[in-house]
Amino acid sequence: MDLGILAWGDTGWGDELARGVLTTVAIASAAYLVGAALGTLLAAMKLSGTPAMNVPAAVYTTTMRGIPEMLVIYLVFFGGGALSSWIASSVLGIHDRVDLPSFAVGVVCIALSVAAYACEVIRGAVLAVPGGQIEAAEAVGMTRSQRNRLVVAPQAFRMALPGMTNVWQFALKDTALVSIIGVTEVMRTASIGSDATKQPFTFYFAALVIFIVIAYLSQRLFVRLQASADRGVRWGS
Amino acid sequence: MGFLDHFAFIAEALAHLSVGIPRTILLAVASLLIGFVLAIGVAAALLSQAFLPRWIANGYVYIFRSSPLLVQIFLIYYGSGQFRSLFESLGLWGLFREAWFCAILALALNTCAYQAVLIAGGLRAVPWGQIEAAQAVGMSRCRVFVTVAFPQALRHALPAYSNEVVLMIKATALASTITILEITGLAKQMASETYRPFEVFAAAGLVYIALNGAVAAGFTRGERFLRRNVAQRT
């Protein structure tokens, strides 16, 4: 195994891989934020108690959690492309083939799956806020929005964090899948490198190490976030 | 193209993709079973008092849980090619050249890491009094594990297991990236032959939802069966 091919600069693939890392982190972060927002919305729908809100949210999460993420990417990228081409030709009269931007599709697809998992985490966290807290908020005359904003949300955030840390790890690992639609993140860069140098093990092993390092560093960030969310909590009282 | 035509084509796609169902199930079942057997050993190592086995098991679990399965599959399938002469001298090249072998190996090693954590969690949840009681009646360590600790650990782990089985069925889709024509592989092939990706991939989605729905229903029954001797809280 020749590690020289992973060097920085024109002779090695170090800088290409580093650029891949930036893309991977960008996709994962964007998808995570969008997915968390969408997941919060879905959780609110599930908690609303009205079937008109409840049922669509339940159908969405069950569907997304039952279909392979890779299939979702194919469906949105190729299916969406075909659909856009069809709309373009039949409605707008443009007969060129429409190709969807792969980076955006990657972010959207991972966000869609993050939303399904985040929904369950956030719903559980909201339900875990003690009922007495809500009664107390009502007793001091808070409005519904004040109660949600000042009492429920900060506590639910703290309780959702462990689960949302797992969801982040999911999102990070899922970014490898967008390599199949040509986004040059870590995995795709490794594939290109291994094709060019005929050193597949070196490159995929490098990709493995890179993912583990990103996972480790981001884990530490979440530990810090948890510590800050837990400040003021008296354990065991 | 009429509206009904879309449904007719989806029905056609479903029929074509159904060929892949046994392959998807084979990939999932084989890797889940191999992973399960390995996971018992890894779980025991995770709970071991000795430093070295615990350290190795923790490292293994960490590596496989924090890297993408796609990387693991490519590392085994394509990566092994870099050491072809070594594998040939060991007589293993015939195996590593085979996509099916590499897919099942990668899936099994991956699920093993997740299952080990589940089983270890289940074992931790077994009340210590149960183990002491078993020892008190003179059972050997091995017998305590097999007849007392392990069955209870499985019962604790079962709800999470249904999740792991569903995740594995989804994970088998990645085998399509190394030429295996299971449901997703067939769908990809059919989509590029017919130029109708939307209907084909939607049909594939329906097949996965049906499969995973069946798994979830099966596990609900299994849980009820395993709890048949547990006192009901009223």
Side-chain angles (χ1 to χ4, degrees):
Chain A
M1 207 160 92
D2 172 24
L3 287 178
I5 52 171
L6 298 178
W8 200 270
D10 292 340
T11 53
W13 289 77
D15 47 334
E16 280 83 358
L17 282 169
R19 225 170 298 143
V21 169
L22 292 182
T23 310
T24 290
V25 173
I27 294 176
S29 312
Y32 185 69
L33 292 176
V34 175
L38 212 61
T40 310
L41 191 74
L42 285 166
M45 285 170 75
K46 276 198 176 177
L47 289 166
S48 72
T50 50
M53 301 285 244
N54 217 330
V55 172
V59 169
Y60 177 81
T61 51
T62 316
T63 310
M64 282 307 292
R65 292 170 60 176
I67 299 181
E69 284 77 13
M70 204 170 81
L71 196 61
V72 175
I73 295 176
Y74 282 139
L75 187 65
V76 175
F77 188 67
F78 296 112
L83 208 63
S84 318
S85 302
W86 180 77
I87 291 170
S89 67
S90 61
V91 181
L92 305 170
I94 304 165
H95 294 288
D96 292 334
R97 211 169 72 101
V98 180
D99 281 320
L100 299 180
S102 49
F103 183 92
V105 169
V107 171
V108 168
C109 289
I110 297 172
L112 288 177
S113 115
V114 164
Y117 287 97
C119 166
E120 299 303 323
V121 171
I122 294 165
R123 185 177 150 268
V126 171
L127 288 176
V129 175
Q133 295 276 341
I134 293 163
E135 283 169 29
E138 277 168 357
V140 296
M142 283 190 178
T143 64
R144 201 188 146 92
S145 120
Q146 277 176 323
R147 191 178 77 207
N148 284 340
R149 202 156 34 88
L150 301 171
V151 179
V152 178
Q155 297 188 66
F157 176 76
R158 183 175 80 80
M159 303 211 228
L161 254 184
M164 287 307 286
T165 310
N166 281 338
V167 174
W168 162 255
Q169 302 285 2
F170 259 122
L172 181 63
K173 286 187 283 175
D174 276 354
T175 59
L177 298 179
V178 302
S179 62
I180 58 178
I181 53 169
V183 181
T184 41
E185 37 64 76
V186 172
M187 189 63 192
R188 179 97 188 101
T189 312
S191 290
I192 296 169
S194 87
D195 285 346
T197 62
K198 304 283 170 238
Q199 307 262 322
F201 187 86
T202 313
F203 277 95
Y204 293 126
F205 190 73
L208 185 87
V209 172
I210 288 172
F211 273 106
I212 291 170
V213 170
I214 302 176
Y216 174 75
L217 293 177
S218 49
Q219 181 79 26
R220 288 186 54 168
L221 217 65
F222 273 99
V223 168
R224 280 196 176 184
L225 203 60
Q226 183 79 60
S228 112
D230 284 347
R231 73 195 184 283
V233 176
R234 276 176 296 169
W235 298 103
S237 62
Chain B
M1 209 183 325
F3 190 66
L4 275 176
D5 184 58
H6 288 287
F7 286 98
F9 184 69
I10 288 180
E12 200 183 301
L14 284 174
H16 182 73
L17 297 178
S18 66
V19 178
I21 296 175
R23 297 176 192 157
T24 291
I25 293 176
L26 177 63
L27 282 169
V29 170
S31 42
L32 279 164
L33 286 180
I34 297 168
F36 175 68
V37 173
L38 296 175
I40 298 172
V42 178
L46 281 174
L47 298 173
S48 160
Q49 306 284 324
F51 175 75
L52 194 66
R54 203 176 61 224
W55 193 79
I56 294 172
N58 268 313
Y60 167 78
V61 166
Y62 194 82
I63 289 169
F64 275 90
R65 294 210 312 166
S66 56
S67 61
L69 177 60
L70 190 65
V71 176
Q72 293 158 18
I73 291 178
F74 276 29
L75 192 60
I76 291 173
Y77 183 64
Y78 294 116
S80 58
Q82 197 169 325
F83 304 104
R84 183 173 172 171
S85 50
L86 175 72
F87 282 115
E88 272 172 345
S89 66
L90 291 170
L92 292 172
W93 181 242
L95 286 176
F96 280 87
R97 201 179 47 191
E98 207 44 67
W100 273 88
F101 172 80
C102 292
I104 291 176
L105 178 65
L107 288 166
L109 289 175
N110 185 273
T111 183
C112 169
Y114 286 91
Q115 289 189 48
V117 175
L118 290 184
I119 296 173
L123 284 170
R124 276 196 201 98
V126 175
W128 189 243
Q130 295 270 341
I131 315 264
E132 277 178 335
Q135 282 168 341
V137 296
M139 285 187 180
S140 67
R141 271 176 72 108
C142 180
R143 193 140 174 235
V144 172
F145 184 80
V146 174
T147 62
V148 179
F150 192 63
Q152 294 190 65
L154 272 193
R155 192 163 61 208
H156 282 294
L158 203 67
Y161 245 102
S162 105
N163 217 357
E164 179 59 20
V165 173
V166 170
L167 285 176
M168 274 315 277
I169 289 178
K170 289 168 67 174
T172 57
L174 297 190
S176 68
T177 58
I178 54 170
T179 72
I180 293 176
L181 291 175
E182 38 62 76
I183 299 169
T184 303
L186 283 172
K188 215 164 69 178
Q189 199 184 44
M190 192 181 182
S192 58
E193 279 166 5
T194 60
Y195 294 105
R196 293 173 77 169
F198 195 82
E199 288 109 315
V200 174
F201 290 128
L206 287 177
V207 176
Y208 280 107
I209 290 174
L211 266 180
N212 286 327
V215 168
F219 266 91
T220 312
R221 291 195 136 195
E223 269 166 53
R224 219 177 294 148
F225 176 73
L226 280 180
R227 293 206 176 273
R228 71 198 181 284
N229 295 327
V230 178
Q232 292 292 317
R233 238 176 266 162
T234 46

